[in-house]
Amino acid sequence: MSDAEYTGPRLVVGLGNPGEGYARNRHNIGFMVVDLLAQRIGAKFKAHKSRAQVAEGRLSGQRVVLAKPMTFMNLSGGPTTALRDFYKAPTSAIIAVHDELDVDYAALRLKLGGGDNGHNGLKSITKSLGPEYYRVRCGIGRPPGRMEVADFVLKDFSSTERKELDWFVDRAADAVEALLSEGLERAQNTYHI
């Protein structure tokens, strides 16, 4: 089936690590965004056989499956592939929402395809599916000083960052909706500032 013939839901996969200890980490901004989208559509997350929690509904006039893989970040490809197969969706029906070191804090970048930029969640998905899925890249900036990247992404947002975090998550959720309703180019024009 070609992408043009696909009439099933878009799969919006928020990347993060499961468990309360990771909930407010920088690496979990993808989970935060899909949690907000689920609130917007009044959907509750439920366990799915894909090893993800899923919430289904309509967003910007389209059927969507919001998903949070319940494996750790570096194994996100397995649940994402299982979801794609379950819904018989083309890879281009997938939107991954994730943290991005090379984008300034609270800035957004949207794109289709490309490399993984060292992001283990994207690396896992790309290894399983290839690179041709959409990405909503949520900027977290680079670690200060000589802090290791792994330590930085697994820390909670700083008190300064938390002042803007709700706004940032809300804006990232808006960007996902714009991508669904208006397409990539128009969403980029709105959210790349």
Side-chain angles (χ1 to χ4, degrees):
M1 172 184 297
S2 74
D3 292 0
E5 296 170 347
Y6 177 67
T7 57
R10 298 291 292 270
L11 309 178
V12 182
V13 181
L15 299 186
N17 285 309
E20 198 50 46
Y22 296 102
R24 304 305 288 169
N25 288 180
R26 291 180 180 95
H27 225 15
N28 274 42
I29 190 129
F31 276 16
M32 295 174 200
V33 173
V34 294
D35 282 341
L36 178 58
L37 289 168
Q39 283 178 21
R40 288 183 180 182
I41 64 174
K44 298 265 187 254
F45 282 95
K46 298 180 177 98
H48 189 270
K49 68 181 186 177
S50 62
R51 292 177 297 145
Q53 288 187 356
V54 300
E56 297 187 47
R58 294 191 78 75
L59 192 61
S60 297
Q62 294 195 36
R63 282 178 54 214
V64 293
V65 174
L66 306 172
K68 297 188 290 186
M70 289 290 105
T71 57
F72 283 95
M73 177 72 82
N74 60 349
L75 300 173
S76 299
T80 304
T81 301
L83 284 166
R84 182 206 57 186
D85 294 348
F86 181 83
Y87 289 99
K88 298 177 175 51
T91 302
S92 61
I94 297 169
I95 301 169
V97 184
H98 63 91
D99 59 303
E100 180 62 61
L101 288 162
D102 287 335
V103 175
D104 290 340
Y105 177 69
L108 296 168
R109 294 291 178 267
L110 289 72
K111 71 178 193 171
L112 172 62
D116 57 54
N117 212 19
H119 191 289
N120 289 330
L122 295 180
K123 195 176 292 183
S124 178
I125 293 172
T126 298
K127 185 177 178 189
S128 296
L129 299 175
E132 291 305 308
Y133 54 92
Y134 289 91
R135 297 107 190 270
V136 174
R137 304 162 68 209
C138 303
I140 60 169
R142 283 262 163 208
R146 296 179 183 262
M147 182 187 286
E148 291 290 326
V149 166
D151 294 335
F152 179 69
V153 300
L154 293 175
K155 283 200 179 329
D156 288 358
F157 287 97
S158 71
S159 57
T160 303
E161 290 168 332
R162 282 196 300 271
K163 291 175 185 168
E164 284 188 82
L165 185 58
D166 288 345
W167 171 84
F168 180 24
V169 170
D170 191 61
R171 196 161 172 276
D174 290 347
V176 171
E177 290 204 50
L179 183 56
L180 289 167
S181 62
E182 301 171 16
L184 180 62
E185 189 174 338
R186 289 186 67 182
Q188 286 173 326
N189 289 340
T190 303
Y191 291 95
H192 289 196
I193 53 172

